Amino acid sequence: MKHAKKYQVQENTLMIVEHPGAAYVPGSGYFDFIQLSRSGVLKRALVNLSRQLSFSLAELAQILHISERTLQRYADDAKLSADTSERAILLSQLYQRGTEVFGNLENFKEWMRTPLPAFNYQLPISLLDTTFGFQLIEDELGRIEHGIFA
């Protein structure tokens, strides 16, 4: 059952939890994320994350920079490429941070799908196809957390 244990670690790493202190993130450090990116996230863990975030396959494929069809072809126990794995981890970390700032996942998911002046009235979710978009959202979450509104 070595494979099942590896999946559990990945699933827990990519899982969004309401109480961040309860999340199991191996070491919670960047080196762990680098290692996980390099070794590859299992598609099954990604699918669970997608369900949790209410992402369609098309939305997920756009964020991960792969085609929908390619994503569909992966077997559940197949490992994704390093680039795709890294983007999946970034997505999970962003939603974890948003959950912390907004108090729960549902509030953050709603915010991500609302046109906002801070993002030139674009949906924040539409910015996730670039690393700059991820950073812009992270920066805005920091401002919200500290009560600084533009």
Side-chain angles (χ1 to χ4, degrees), residues 24-41:
Y24 172 78
V25 179
S28 298
Y30 285 113
F31 289 107
D32 293 318
F33 295 133
I34 290 168
Q35 180 59 37
L36 180 56
S37 295
R38 287 176 177 163
S39 65
V41 168

Side-chain angles (χ1 to χ4, degrees), residues 86-124:
E86 179 179 24
R87 293 189 70 78
I89 293 166
L90 286 173
L91 181 64
S92 175
Q93 293 303 299
L94 176 69
Y95 271 77
Q96 184 66 51
R97 176 89 167 100
T99 299
E100 292 169 13
V101 171
F102 279 82
N104 68 55
L105 179 58
E106 291 307 313
N107 288 344
F108 183 62
K109 285 173 18 180
E110 184 178 331
W111 183 81
M112 286 292 289
R113 294 183 183 272
T114 303
L116 299 167
F119 304 121
N120 203 22
Y121 294 95
Q122 296 179 64
L123 304 177

